[in-house]
Amino acid sequence: MPQIKSAKKRVLTQEAARQRNAAQRNAMRSAVKSFKTAKASDADNANDLFKAATRAIDMAKSKGLIHANKAGRDKSRLAAINNK
């Protein structure tokens, strides 16, 4: 456990950032999964879910949660699934 005041503050901010990042990543993964399941079942809202999933990926990229190349790769794969 840290003894210095600034180190104690840093522990608190790290925990807050960890939870924020985990929530953002979970939202991204959920959006991608919901699109894939909707596309697999030929749902009529698959295009809307595709837009939501790509937006979630872009948000995660802009926040620094995932690398830019991973974002592009994931969006490309989703587009290939969407175009089938």
Side-chain angles (χ1 to χ4, degrees):
M1 198 65 200
Q3 302 297 315
I4 299 169
K5 186 177 181 181
S6 62
K8 291 178 184 178
K9 285 184 184 179
R10 189 66 193 148
V11 167
L12 294 176
T13 56
Q14 284 173 343
E15 178 61 21
R18 187 189 67 78
Q19 289 180 355
R20 192 169 45 247
N21 291 341
Q24 183 81 28
R25 188 175 300 223
N26 190 9
M28 180 193 71
R29 289 176 178 165
S30 296
V32 169
K33 188 172 184 179
S34 65
F35 163 70
K36 286 182 179 179
T37 56
K39 191 66 177 175
S41 64
D42 291 329
D44 52 350
N45 64 344
N47 282 334
D48 295 333
L49 292 174
F50 171 70
K51 289 178 186 176
T54 54
R55 184 175 186 276
I57 291 171
D58 284 336
M59 295 267 294
K61 180 186 82 167
S62 70
K63 303 289 185 193
L65 294 178
I66 60 174
H67 194 271
N69 290 351
K70 177 176 169 43
R73 183 174 64 243
D74 288 349
K75 286 169 44 176
S76 176
R77 288 176 180 169
L78 289 181
I81 291 171
N82 194 34
N83 293 333
K84 278 189 177 178

